[in-house]
Amino acid sequence: MSDSQCIFCKIVSREIPSPLVYEDDEIVVFRDINPAAPVHLLIVPRLHIETLADCENQHGALLGKMVGLAPRLARQEGVGYAGRDGDGGFKTLINTGRGGGQEVYHLHIHVLGGPRPWKPR
Ligand code: 5GP
Ligand code: ZN
């Protein structure tokens, strides 16, 4: 299902061209247009789910796949976890609703990393 008004659905459908960092049959990943950190990726399901709060048990596998992609992509971007004593690492973030600062109502996980300072998110 997609929403014709949704900017991320338009990126998923290629109606709006945006270079993809990763894609498979369920997920696309692209760079945030207004990055808050040197690495700022958005992990986005092809399925239009508005918020994390709209997820149900049936979405568990998809959510697990999205979360599991984060460390892999972070490593690919040079900000992977390098153990507790290493400098590497990244932040994962899901904003939900106005109170959570959500701007785009199509579920996504932010992956942020790289040298600070970062813009506040
Ligand atoms: P939210 O606040 O909903 O968690 O995050 C939405 C993010 O999507 C923001 O960081 C914003 O910069 C990014 N964004 C909004 N529109 C576009 C777009 O058209 N292309 C890309 N690549 N990112 C977008
Ligand atoms: Zn959408």
Side-chain angles (χ1 to χ4, degrees), residues 3-115:
D3 178 336
S4 61
Q5 301 302 310
C6 170
I7 189 99
F8 285 1
C9 281
K10 288 181 181 174
I11 291 175
V12 165
S13 71
R14 319 304 290 141
E15 187 182 332
I16 296 178
S18 184
L20 301 182
V21 173
Y22 171 91
E23 69 174 317
D24 66 27
D25 57 335
E26 292 182 301
I27 295 166
V28 303
V29 179
F30 47 87
R31 293 184 198 283
D32 197 294
I33 203 169
N34 182 22
V39 173
H40 189 168
L41 304 178
L42 301 172
I43 301 177
V44 179
R46 290 188 186 274
L47 188 65
H48 179 84
I49 305 168
E50 289 204 348
T51 79
L52 182 62
D54 295 301
C55 288
E56 298 177 1
N57 281 345
Q58 69 195 60
H59 301 118
L62 175 63
L63 287 169
K65 192 169 162 183
M66 289 169 66
V67 172
L69 262 177
R72 281 180 47 198
L73 292 166
R75 195 178 319 123
Q76 194 176 297
E77 294 287 319
V79 297
Y81 179 58
R84 289 169 56 171
D85 297 326
D87 287 333
F90 55 93
K91 186 190 288 281
T92 43
L93 179 69
I94 303 176
N95 297 321
T96 303
R98 208 174 291 170
Q102 186 172 4
E103 291 168 11
V104 176
Y105 280 77
H106 180 134
L107 177 67
H108 51 281
I109 302 178
H110 297 256
V111 179
L112 301 129

